[in-house]
Amino acid sequence: DAKTTQPPSMDCAEGRAANLPCNHSTISGNEYVYWYRQIHSQGPQYIIHGLKNNETNEMASLIITEDRKSSTLILPHATLRDTAVYYCIVFMNRDDKIIFGKGTRLHILP
Amino acid sequence: DVKVTQSSRYLVKRTGEKVFLECVQDMDHENMFWYRQDPGLGLRLIYFSYDVKMKEKGDIPEGYSVSREKKERFSLILESASTNQTSMYLCASSRPGQGRYEQYFGPGTRLTVT
């Protein structure tokens, strides 16, 4: 079973920041938080990952709470191309088996 | 540019047929995976392989088998296709031990069993 809980769907206006929450209350100390997304008719694509500190790359920012029980993926200026299903996943890097949950379907509204 | 390719985007087979889904990666990755994706159920792991000739069952292996004779190729086999195997099948590969762990996915094969 997936170790994360995400809302099934969210809406965001184009140009605004999209904030996607994820709960992972049973995360262990050596488990990372990873985010993938899947655009329609494509395979999932890596976005970002983190352990304790907040992370930022060219695609998004990842904010992890101090207790590590939840995190938020931030797309700073959402575009229509960001419409996708977003998956939050926790696992240890040594464990190569990823368990995808059902994710959050993000709709970007023009 | 990294690449995972799957033999077909769309496939239609009849009940009882033997079906082969092929996946090839050009990144010299050790690990390869087969998932199926169904509406409301997300991605579910069928089989995976950490090396040539090695295979491990995932969460839903029943009705499937796999073959990994070469490092770059991982085949999913439906010995006798059934209608409940109609689904989107996704292949992925990865290299273990990276600081950033990433699975690279193919475009998927949409299989319809009639």
Side-chain angles (χ1 to χ4, degrees), chain B residues 19-76:
Chain B
V19 181
F20 291 88
L21 302 182
E22 305 285 342
C23 175
V24 177
Q25 50 95 2
D26 65 0
M27 297 163 281
D28 200 35
H29 283 170
E30 287 83 357
N31 302 339
M32 296 189 75
F33 307 82
W34 274 106
Y35 296 86
R36 65 177 282 177
Q37 185 171 33
D38 302 286
L41 296 176
L43 277 86
R44 294 180 291 166
L45 183 63
I46 305 171
Y47 267 97
F48 57 106
S49 168
Y50 288 147
D51 203 349
V52 175
K53 297 195 184 297
M54 290 183 66
K55 59 185 179 183
E56 298 281 344
K57 292 181 180 179
D59 300 316
I60 52 164
E62 296 78 19
Y64 303 94
S65 62
V66 290
S67 172
R68 185 128 182 243
E69 295 296 318
K70 293 184 178 181
K71 190 176 186 180
E72 67 271 16
R73 189 180 297 270
F74 193 35
S75 303
L76 181 69

Side-chain angles (χ1 to χ4, degrees), chain A residues 3-109:
Chain A
K3 300 179 183 178
T4 62
T5 304
Q6 300 177 253
S9 67
M10 292 182 62
D11 292 338
C12 179
E14 189 177 15
R16 304 297 294 269
N19 296 280
L20 291 92
C22 180
N23 286 321
H24 31 79
S25 58
T26 61
I27 192 170
S28 63
N30 51 2
E31 285 184 313
Y32 287 74
V33 179
Y34 275 71
W35 283 83
Y36 278 72
R37 76 177 182 184
Q38 186 174 20
I39 295 170
H40 183 62
S41 297
Q42 297 182 22
Q45 174 193 24
Y46 166 89
I47 301 173
I48 198 168
H49 78 287
L51 183 62
K52 296 180 183 177
N53 300 322
N54 298 336
E55 302 288 343
T56 296
N57 64 19
E58 65 279 2
M59 290 181 68
S61 295
L62 174 60
I63 308 297
I64 303 174
T65 58
E66 194 168 341
D67 64 7
R68 303 209 327 122
K69 292 185 176 182
S70 65
S71 60
T72 301
L73 178 75
I74 301 172
L75 308 177
H77 304 287
T79 70
L80 295 177
R81 287 177 294 181
D82 293 320
T83 294
V85 177
Y86 288 77
Y87 297 98
C88 170
I89 303 154
V90 298
F91 75 110
M92 289 184 288
N93 274 342
R94 290 175 302 173
D95 181 350
D96 290 324
K97 189 173 103 170
I98 295 178
I99 299 175
F100 285 82
K102 297 180 182 179
T104 296
R105 185 171 296 276
L106 177 66
H107 301 275
I108 305 300
L109 307 175

Side-chain angles (χ1 to χ4, degrees), chain B residues 14-20 63-66 76-82 85:
Chain B
R14 293 190 182 275
T15 301
E17 278 193 80
K18 189 169 186 175
V19 181
F20 291 88
Y64 303 94
S65 62
V66 290
L76 181 69
I77 303 157
L78 288 65
E79 293 288 343
S80 178
S82 63
Q85 292 178 310

